[in-house]
């Protein structure tokens, strides 16, 4: 079965950094759209950053551009989200998601367009 496992969340003060990791397993696709989403209490889930594995465009939410960096390893089976200059408003549960067998990533980053999800990892930024 397809499995996405996230780790690396935690608590940090504003201005600090964290790196989230997502490891995928249980599938044979080699090129697909994968990315990070987040959901804060009382808010809808939103796209943070997505990219095609093994190259291709990377998309970022305006709120994280210049602060977050998405990268991959292990031929796309591992996805990293380097988060710098964290803000209190970055506090949320962060989820890794993929769209195996689906269309390429695009700037919409709609959570409804992603099929596989991890269990999430909490990021808390304090002032």
């Amino acid at each position: 079965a397809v499995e996405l496992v996230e780790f690396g969340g935690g608590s940090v003060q504003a201005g600090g950094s964290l790196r989230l990791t997502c490891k995928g397993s249980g599938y044979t696709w080699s090129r697909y759209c994968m990315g990070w989403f987040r959901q804060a209490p009382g808010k809808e889930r939103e796209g943070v950053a997505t990219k095609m594995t093994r190259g291709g465009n990377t998309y970022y939410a305006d709120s994280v551009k210049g602060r977050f960096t998405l990268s991959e390893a292990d031929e796309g089976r591992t996805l990293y989200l380097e988060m710098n200059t964290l803000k209190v408003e970055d506090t949320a549960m962060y989820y890794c998601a993929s769209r195996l067998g689906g269309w390429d990533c695009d700037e919409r980053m709609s959570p409804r367009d992603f099929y596989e999800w991890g269990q999430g990892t909490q990021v808390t930024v304090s002032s």
Side-chain angles (χ1 to χ4, degrees), residues 38-86:
R38 68 186 181 185
Q39 187 166 17
K43 294 188 177 181
E44 292 188 355
R45 192 168 297 188
E46 63 176 359
V48 175
T50 61
K51 73 181 302 291
M52 292 298 294
T53 59
R54 297 192 174 191
N57 292 334
T58 302
Y59 298 93
Y60 294 97
D62 289 342
S63 58
V64 307
K65 282 180 182 176
R67 300 188 298 120
F68 291 11
T69 302
L70 188 62
S71 61
E72 64 176 283
D74 303 325
E75 299 181 332
R77 295 302 179 98
T78 300
L79 194 68
Y80 300 108
L81 184 67
E82 188 75 36
M83 306 185 294
N84 297 313
T85 319
L86 282 160

Side-chain angles (χ1 to χ4, degrees), residues 2-3 7 12 14 18 20 23 27 31 40-41 52 54 58 64 66 69-70 78 86 94 101 104 114 120 123:
V2 175
E3 187 175 28
F7 48 94
V12 65
L18 283 173
L20 304 184
K23 288 192 177 291
Y27 53 89
R31 193 166 188 275
M52 292 298 294
R54 297 192 174 191
T58 302
V64 307
T69 302
L70 188 62
T78 300
L86 282 160
Y94 283 70
D104 287 1
F114 286 75
V123 171

Side-chain angles (χ1 to χ4, degrees), residues 37 44-45 99 103 109-115 117:
F37 295 77
E44 292 188 355
R45 192 168 297 188
R99 185 160 66 214
W103 60 98
M109 294 192 292
S110 173
R112 290 178 292 184
D113 294 337
F114 286 75
Y115 311 144
W117 291 86

